[in-house]
Amino acid sequence: MSGRHALKDLTKHFTPQRRAQVEAKKAALRAAMPLHELRQARAMTQKALGKALKVNQPAVAKLERRTDMYVSNLRAYIEAMGGRLNIVAEFPQGDITITNFSDVDGGSEGRAAK
């Protein structure tokens, strides 16, 4: 025997409480991830994403490593994977969706709201 076991065999004896903890952890991991992990989770290669963005693969790799980028570049990246980008400000009183970034050709990117 190789010592390897199928995941279903390892988890079949989990209590309902343990299963709930695992599901909560999975949801948390899905809720926040770097761009390259998001692309991988969507089963896309850098090359395929580059084709959708009309750039080469090294440009996609460079974009994924950036810590600062234009909202328009991030929007294009997300939309190329079939998603939609929402910008949300979180406050103790509640969350606010910032709408001036939702208009692709609105020209409002980079201006602060007053």
Side-chain angles (χ1 to χ4, degrees), residues 1-2 25 31 36 44 46 48 56-58 60 95 103-104 112:
M1 182 134 206
S2 66
K25 180 68 173 177
H36 74 279
M44 290 189 78
Q46 286 181 340
N56 58 22
Q57 177 273 327
V60 174
D95 297 348
D103 183 12
V104 175

Side-chain angles (χ1 to χ4, degrees), residues 35-102:
L35 288 178
H36 74 279
E37 288 182 11
L38 176 59
R39 175 186 45 78
Q40 291 169 346
R42 302 284 301 161
M44 290 189 78
T45 64
Q46 286 181 340
K47 185 175 181 177
L49 188 57
K51 186 174 181 179
L53 292 170
K54 297 183 172 91
V55 298
N56 58 22
Q57 177 273 327
V60 174
K62 185 176 179 181
L63 180 71
E64 290 179 346
R65 288 191 305 271
R66 292 190 60 107
T67 57
D68 189 19
M69 70 179 71
Y70 287 114
V71 172
S72 59
N73 290 342
L74 180 57
R75 181 187 303 107
Y77 184 96
I78 297 300
E79 288 177 354
M81 289 187 292
R84 191 180 70 167
L85 181 66
N86 290 313
I87 307 291
V88 177
E90 297 177 356
F91 295 95
Q93 300 84 359
D95 297 348
I96 304 293
T97 299
I98 308 300
T99 58
N100 60 315
F101 293 120
S102 63

Side-chain angles (χ1 to χ4, degrees), residues 1 4-14 19:
M1 182 134 206
R4 297 181 184 170
H5 302 279
L7 182 61
K8 66 180 180 178
D9 292 337
L10 295 173
T11 61
K12 69 181 175 183
H13 298 294
F14 281 8
R19 288 182 193 280

